[in-house]
Amino acid sequence: EKSVALKEELGDRAGLATTLHNVGHVALAQGDLLRALDLFSRSRTLYAEIGLDKDVADEDAMIAAVKHQMRNTTADSERNGTS
C-alpha cells in the first residue's frame, strides 16, 4: 500500500499500474477475489491510458481468470449449500 501511495504521489502511472498488478496477484493468492478484480481493473485502466497494449491484454487475462474463479467459487457454494 505504501508503494501505491508513493507511485501516486510521484505521478508514476506506469509504476503505479505495475504495483497495482503485483498487489492484485497477492490479493488473488490470498483468496480476496473482489480486491484482486479491483486492482487488476485499475491497473488495466492505467495501462490503457498510457498506451501499453500488451499490458492491457495481460490485465484482461487476469480479470477473466478472477471472474472465472469467482463463478467457480459461487457454483461450488451453491452445490454445497453454503451460499
Side-chain angles (χ1 to χ4, degrees):
E1 296 302 319
K2 288 181 183 179
S3 180
V4 169
L6 179 61
K7 302 288 185 196
E8 287 175 333
E9 183 180 325
L10 295 173
D12 181 2
R13 293 165 45 114
L16 177 58
T18 299
T19 299
L20 291 169
H21 173 85
N22 292 338
V23 176
H25 275 286
V26 172
L28 184 59
Q30 293 173 338
D32 191 345
L33 301 179
L34 289 175
R35 184 161 184 255
L37 183 61
D38 176 62
L39 291 162
F40 290 134
S41 296
R42 289 171 56 197
S43 178
R44 186 203 183 282
T45 298
L46 286 168
Y47 283 135
E49 290 172 357
I50 296 167
L52 298 174
D53 295 336
K54 180 202 172 295
D55 294 305
V56 170
D58 290 344
E59 294 311 292
D60 284 340
M62 292 309 303
I63 290 166
V66 171
K67 287 181 177 181
H68 179 75
Q69 191 168 343
M70 291 171 95
R71 282 191 302 273
N72 286 345
T73 300
T74 301
D76 288 346
S77 293
E78 289 173 356
R79 274 195 300 276
N80 295 328
T82 58
S83 56

